[in-house]
Amino acid sequence: MRSRSAAFPLFAALSWGVMFPVLASALGRVDALNLTTARYVLATAVLVALLLAREGVAALGTARRGTEVLLLGALGFAGFNTLTNLALGMAAPQQIALFAATVPVVTQLVRWARDGVRPRPALLGLSLVALVGVGLVITRGRLDGLGEFGLGGLLMVGAVLGWAFYTHGASRFPDWSPLRYTTLTSVAGALALFAVSAVADLTGLQHAPAAADLVEVSPQLAYAVLIAAVVAGLAWNTGVRRLGPADAALFMNLVPVTTFAVQLLRGYRPGAVELVGAGLTVAALVAANLVTRTRKAPAAPAVVAVTDHPAVIEPVAVVAR
């Protein structure tokens, strides 16, 4: 069961790893904010249609949790994607993707701070091992390579914090399907993006794209909307529902490795240190999966210290593909 559930965050992580170089190639024609807004307005339209078809009009209600939904959508969809696109204009995709590997650690710390749920030592340790492996991939074993991130790195710190809070937030809506949570937070994120982008256009901070620009980047938008936003977003929240935030977040370690693989296909040639780092990251993720799979359940319903567990026992299935 856990192996099938792991396919959801695995697909999402691989999709987002491809997304970094795809979006980077579109930033030459469309500003970061406008690109993000166009992506999520289109993705939200698709998600709303799916939600209406599957759960009906009533599912569009927030059950008096509109403020929380708006905040999570602004942090997860608007914050993460806007800051990521801005960072992609300042550094190479494989450098920016490194920060995605910090999501597992940050998510566990967010849960600890907000819910008092201690990270399992094994998972926390393996997350750090995977992060070291990703660091080797990106820096090629040179510590001075970390200094090249600059402002782009600072933007990604904010992006990662926003996504960690969004991932954690999914576990706080156990009575909502992944489709409903994804759709309503996407609506909130799209509204926030549209407002910020409109202000930026009106004040001259960026320029509204011409129709020709949008046509030029339509292949990138198609991938970013249908695969990286709609399908991957649903897959991610389904994985969080089934595995729990901490376990699902481990798959974010594969995002920068996937970006690295895409760059290889585009002609980049890695060194031995980078290959070692990629292997270390994959090994750590496999080990983390084995740790969660072999964890023993309590023998009796006695009160025990909770360290980490999926937020919902019976996951809700969703048509994500």
Side-chain angles (χ1 to χ4, degrees):
M1 177 63 180
R2 290 189 67 85
S3 295
R4 292 195 298 271
S5 299
F8 290 99
L10 175 62
F11 175 84
L14 294 177
S15 300
W16 292 331
V18 174
M19 179 188 70
F20 282 102
V22 168
L23 289 180
S25 67
L27 290 174
R29 295 296 299 262
V30 181
D31 291 322
L33 268 176
N34 281 321
L35 181 65
T36 309
T37 301
R39 177 189 176 199
Y40 272 99
V41 166
L42 294 172
T44 298
V46 175
L47 287 168
V48 169
L50 287 174
L51 182 62
L52 288 173
R54 185 171 178 81
E55 300 184 28
V57 177
L60 292 176
T62 60
R64 299 182 180 179
R65 303 184 71 178
T67 300
E68 188 176 4
V69 168
L70 180 62
L71 180 61
L72 288 169
L75 286 173
F77 286 114
F80 177 81
N81 290 283
T82 298
L83 293 176
T84 296
N85 282 349
L86 290 172
L88 282 170
M90 303 175 185
Q94 64 267 30
Q95 292 178 325
I96 296 304
L98 167 64
F99 288 88
T102 65
V103 168
V105 176
V106 175
T107 300
Q108 293 180 62
L109 295 178
V110 167
R111 293 194 73 202
W112 194 3
R114 295 198 63 183
D115 297 338
V117 179
R118 298 193 311 272
R120 290 202 299 277
L123 280 179
L124 189 58
L126 288 168
S127 296
L128 294 173
V129 170
L131 180 59
V132 170
V134 172
L136 291 175
V137 169
I138 305 304
T139 65
R140 287 172 285 182
R142 295 175 51 193
L143 293 179
D144 59 342
L146 293 174
E148 298 177 1
F149 293 131
L151 180 57
L154 293 177
L155 292 174
M156 283 306 298
V157 170
V160 166
L161 284 172
W163 190 254
F165 275 99
Y166 177 78
T167 297
H168 172 268
S171 66
R172 301 172 70 87
F173 291 77
D175 53 336
W176 288 15
S177 69
L179 175 59
R180 185 180 182 187
Y181 178 75
T182 305
T183 301
L184 294 187
T185 52
S186 180
V187 169
L191 290 174
L193 281 167
F194 186 82
V196 173
S197 188
V199 170
D201 286 337
L202 292 173
T203 57
L205 293 177
Q206 64 176 15
H207 302 286
D213 294 324
L214 293 177
V215 171
E216 183 68 23
V217 301
S218 57
Q220 294 96 317
L221 267 179
Y223 177 86
V225 169
L226 297 176
I227 304 300
V230 175
V231 181
L234 288 172
W236 179 257
N237 285 325
T238 301
V240 171
R241 177 65 57 88
R242 295 187 176 196
L243 299 174
D247 291 357
L250 284 168
F251 287 86
M252 291 297 286
N253 289 307
L254 287 178
V255 172
V257 175
T258 304
T259 302
F260 173 72
V262 171
Q263 296 297 80
L264 288 179
L265 294 175
R266 299 177 67 186
Y268 182 74
R269 292 295 173 261
V273 173
E274 295 169 276
L275 294 176
V276 169
L280 186 63
T281 297
V282 173
L285 182 59
V286 171
N289 185 269
L290 292 175
V291 166
T292 59
R293 195 181 306 177
T294 58
R295 184 180 57 207
K296 295 181 180 179
V303 177
V304 295
V306 176
T307 56
D308 193 12
H309 57 79
V312 177
I313 302 301
E314 295 294 336
V316 180
V318 63
V319 179
R321 297 181 279 198

